Each structure stands twice: as C-alpha cells, then as structure tokens.
Amino acid sequence: MKEQVLDSMDIERERGITIKAQTVRLEYKADDGETYILNLMDTPGHVDFAYEVSRSLAACEGSLLVVDASQGVEAQTLANVYQAIDNNHEIVPVLNKVDLPAAEPERIRAQIEDVIGLDASGAVLCSAKSGLGIHDVLEAIVTRLPPPKGDVNAPLKALLVDAWYDAYLGVVVLVRVIDGQMRRGQRLKMMQTGAVYGIDKLGVFRPKPVDVEVLGPGEIGFFTGSIKEVADAAVGATITDERRPTDAPLTGFRDVQPVVFCGLFPSDAAQFEDLRNAIGRLRLNDASFSYEMETSAALGFGFRCGFLGLLHLEIIQERLSREFNLDLIATAPSVVYRITLINGEVVELHNPADMPDVMKIESIAEPWIKATIFTPDEYLGAVIKLCQDRRGAQRELSYVGSRAMVVYDLPLNEVVFDFYDRLKSISKGYASFDYSIEEYRTGDLVKMTVLVNGEPVDALSMLVHRGRAEMRGRGMVEKMKELIPPHMFQIPIQAAIGGKIVARETVRALRKDVTAKCYGGDATRKKKLLEKQKEGKKRMRQFGKVDIPQEAFIAALKMDAD
C-alpha cells in the first residue's frame, strides 16, 4: 500500500492527475448492520480524458460529485456533471478538503446550486486527507444511490468497459455484469464480432486482483480468456453466454472523435515494427486514441495519430517512450480541416503536407469550439485578451461569487498549440478550461511551409489564418534559428506561403580561421585564402545536409504568442 493507490502509473504520480479510470471493490458494514458491496470507479477529470469518464458512467448507477471546498466548481466539473446527468445518475455532492483554512463550504454549496443547478443542501462535508467525514460519504452511497437492477436467472448480458494488455495473462477484460452470471470455465461470446472465448481467470480488484468463482448482476470484475488480438476486445461490446445468449446487445459507447492529429515517427527507422506493436497495445488500453500509417520524405515510415487534446497527445507520447523504450519524433499537431474543391467534392485534411493544389480549392473550413473558462476576477482581463488574440468571439460573461465564467467561441487550431499553458500561466494556475466542438466555419486559411537551407520540412508545415501568418512564421523561424546548431556552412531558415517568403533568419556558419598562419606579409595572400574558404562554404551549402535535432521540432511547435 502507498499513497494514491489507484493512480498506479508513474506519469499519474509525477503529474498529480488521473489518466486511466480505475476500479476497486469495497465491503462496507453500514449503520443498519447490513454489509454492502460497493463497486467504485475513480475517473480522470481533465477534458482530454472525457472518454474514460463516459465509459465509467455507463457502468455505474450513481456518482459522487467531489468539489474542492476552497476552489469551488471547475470548468471540467460542469462537463462531467452533465455527462452523469445524461446517464441518468443519482448524484451526491461531496465537499472535500474542509480541513483547509481557506475552505468555505457554505459559499461552495451556493455555487454548486447556482452554476450546476443541483440541490447541494445535503452535500457531504469531508476531508480525504484527514479521514474526516468519510463514514458519512459511505453512508450516503448506501442510502442515497440506487442499488443495481438485474436478474440473476436471465441469460448473461455484460458490458465490456475496458481492456488492457498484460505480459503474462494476455488481454485482461474489465466487465460490468447487467444480467445473469459469469463463472470460471464458462464460454463467452462477443456479440459484435461473434468470437467465442473460455474464461480462464475471473476476479475483482480490491484494489489488487483477487480471484472469484462467480460474478453476478451489478458487479464489476475482470476475466482473461486467451484473447490474443488487440482488436478482439472492443470497448463497449456486449458479452453473453455462448449456449444461452441474450436477445439484444447493449447500446455500447458512441465512437469518439479525435480532435488533434499529429505524426509519430521512430527516430531510428529500424524501430518501426516496435512502434507498430506498441501503438497497437496502447490502443487497446486507450480507445480514444486512433492511428493510421503514413510516410514522410523527411522522417520515413510512421503513424498519423488522433488524440482528444494536447495533454492526451503528450501522455501517449510519454507512455510510448517509457513503457516501450521508443525514441520518437512528433510532427506539428494539427486539427481536421474540411476542404471544398471547385468540383464540389469535400475532403478532410488531417496533415497539412497533403493539402491539394490551391487552384483546385474553393474554400477551407476549420473546427470551432465552445470554450468555458472559470477564472478569479483579477485575471479576467488577461484571459479575455488571450481569447481575443486567438481570434475568439465572446458569447457570455457571468459571475459566480468572486469568480467569472467566460464562454468564448474559438478556432480549435489556435487552441491546440499552447493555449492551455498560456491560460494557466496568466492566471497563476487558478483558471480552469473546458471545451466542446461546435461546428465547422469557413475561414481565410493558408498553408505555411518552413524551408531549411531551401528544402521544405514537411513536419513543420501548418495551416494558419492569413492575418496571423506573418507573425506565426516569424516566431517559427526565430525559434528554429536558436535551435538548429551551427554547421560548417550558412543555413537560411524561411517561412513561405506559396512562392512568397514571409520571414527569414540565418544560422551563422562555423568558421575556421584560415589566416591564422599568415604573419604580416602581403594582404592579397590573406584575401586569396578567404576567397578559397568562401567557395568551399558555397559548395558545402549546395550539398550539405542540415541535421535538425528532435528537440527543435518539439520546441518550435510550442511557440509562445508573445
């Protein structure tokens, strides 16, 4: 046992966030003398992991809405509450950290009622750190949340909530039993694929895996059954008994829509197969992540991957390098654009390098989001300026006590770069941010290419709004100048839109002092040596290859808007 038992990944502990939803089964002896079994799921809060939350909500009957008694309602709180309400959950508000000197339970109660519209008069006060009020929370679960409904004698019907790969057991499947029973040795059928597996191992998490003989209605547990292929355990599938199947499958989960795309390439081409296997295993563990193969002239073979946001991208990249020892290069994150061609055809553009000929394009539409930002009053001006700088349009501005709630329409491609980081830095970490995709709008967008030594670097090409192209281009080339190490020849770095160069910087050449051995004497001898060196540099520049370090790619993409 250790602190944060359920945040078992190293990245979760280091960053202090939850990434994967975790399950644990508790036995609780209540005040009425009965012993209850509680199946608890701990979910992430960040908007990029909303798919984990939606899957957990589908498997449960009720939710504890945990709100910090000093900070109050966050933007993500709203998004997750509305998801719980859509799933017909009974919701118990819990005010945590009431032992802090800054805690104001009464103010936060009123805030929950104002912002979310939930009755918070019966909110449970507790402190997870000191253990204060935990008994009241457990009593509230038993008395206020509905017990699961389900028929033990009906044919087996279970929901596949999650699955992950274990090096010893193969694919481990997390299930929520709706009707019927699961037993060891039973043969199960996946209704969506028709595949049949026998149960080798059946168990529950307490929080460590414990084997059980049977799982009944309302219980959440796991099984392994010689499932070899990653694709065979599709999240949201319905599992039933092979001999006595249920009539209709469950509705499952809606397919998740990736928001941000980026190319992942191995820095060593020989690692491509390792990357393919690693991505396949990670995809099983994280169904909100999608990928397809792509090739790049500069970077070789790799994958075009879709993510729910930049934090999601960062976490996946980190997990690939840590868990599978891969050294990766990531291209510029981009969103999905819809391009209408002159012949009326509409194509989706995932990678700016694949943009069709400008002469064939009638219009380009980009995704816009509805962003909800909660911020303390003193940072409101800076937050509004940030949104205006990113081409945002204000929808509404309201106050909840001393905190402002700002709702903005923003183009997603202005948000994916560094919006979240900037928001946190201008508000000293107090602002919270949540968003949802609204619609596609046509905009004046152009493709900007970065040329290094006259060669286009396709990993850095991007679509930008024409009004911001010069500023973005200048920022990019200035950053690249700092990051590309000097070579033996001069390196021009240019940002171009079509045939027009909008910004340029030059990396100075390393120079050898060829005149060092000339002591006095005729000046023409020195000139002759310098001219000879100049010719050599010119020839080098023609045939020389520029090495761009991987850090340069990543740092160039994390540009500040200053």
Side-chain angles (χ1 to χ4, degrees), residues 184 201-213 222:
R184 198 179 300 166
K201 186 180 174 71
L202 188 68
V204 294
F205 292 103
R206 285 186 170 173
K208 295 282 175 270
V210 175
D211 287 4
V212 294
E213 285 299 320
F222 69 90

Side-chain angles (χ1 to χ4, degrees), residues 348-419:
E348 285 200 341
L349 179 72
H350 291 203
N351 186 350
D354 303 333
M355 188 166 159
D357 184 0
V358 186
M359 303 304 289
K360 295 179 181 172
I361 295 173
E362 189 177 294
S363 64
I364 305 176
E366 61 181 335
W368 280 66
I369 61 169
K370 175 190 171 191
T372 308
I373 300 168
F374 274 91
T375 176
D377 196 25
E378 62 262 39
Y379 309 118
L380 180 62
V383 169
I384 287 177
K385 183 179 183 306
L386 175 67
C387 294
Q388 299 288 13
D389 289 348
R390 301 299 171 98
R391 300 192 282 131
Q394 191 174 314
R395 270 201 195 183
E396 58 184 86
L397 169 60
S398 54
Y399 276 86
V400 183
S402 63
R403 295 171 85 210
M405 183 175 94
V406 197
V407 181
Y408 258 86
D409 283 344
L410 285 161
L412 184 62
N413 80 337
E414 297 285 351
V415 173
V416 296
F417 276 91
D418 57 356
F419 183 85

Side-chain angles (χ1 to χ4, degrees), residues 407-558:
V407 181
Y408 258 86
D409 283 344
L410 285 161
L412 184 62
N413 80 337
E414 297 285 351
V415 173
V416 296
F417 276 91
D418 57 356
F419 183 85
Y420 193 66
D421 294 350
R422 303 274 302 151
L423 180 69
K424 285 293 182 192
S425 62
I426 61 176
S427 66
K428 296 190 171 59
Y430 283 109
S432 63
F433 167 67
D434 183 71
Y435 66 85
S436 57
I437 300 270
E438 288 276 291
E439 59 180 349
Y440 273 79
R441 293 187 199 171
T442 305
D444 185 9
L445 300 166
V446 289
K447 178 184 172 185
M448 188 173 77
T449 313
V450 175
L451 306 163
V452 176
N453 201 19
E455 292 288 318
V457 181
D458 59 354
L460 291 175
S461 58
M462 61 176 84
L463 261 78
V464 291
H465 192 267
R466 197 183 295 276
R468 292 172 61 84
E470 196 175 321
M471 186 189 84
R472 182 63 71 82
R474 185 158 289 130
M476 183 69 91
V477 295
E478 282 172 5
K479 200 87 168 207
M480 291 299 285
K481 183 190 174 185
E482 294 167 22
L483 298 163
I484 294 179
H487 288 51
M488 291 302 293
F489 50 92
Q490 209 179 48
I491 305 168
I493 305 166
Q494 299 159 310
I497 294 169
K500 184 185 172 193
I501 304 293
V502 291
R504 171 185 169 130
E505 288 287 339
T506 307
V507 179
R508 280 190 321 109
L510 288 169
R511 282 195 62 182
K512 181 184 174 190
D513 190 358
V514 289
T515 60
K517 59 183 181 285
C518 299
Y519 298 102
D522 191 359
T524 54
R525 187 165 168 232
K526 285 187 178 180
K527 273 188 183 161
K528 199 170 167 185
L529 285 167
L530 289 168
E531 283 300 320
K532 196 173 168 189
Q533 185 187 37
K534 202 166 152 188
E535 284 302 311
K537 298 259 185 218
K538 206 169 171 184
R539 203 163 50 249
M540 264 179 163
R541 191 181 142 192
Q542 232 171 332
F543 304 109
K545 190 173 185 310
V546 179
D547 288 322
I548 305 175
Q550 186 193 345
E551 302 81 64
F553 279 108
I554 295 161
L557 305 170
K558 281 199 153 181

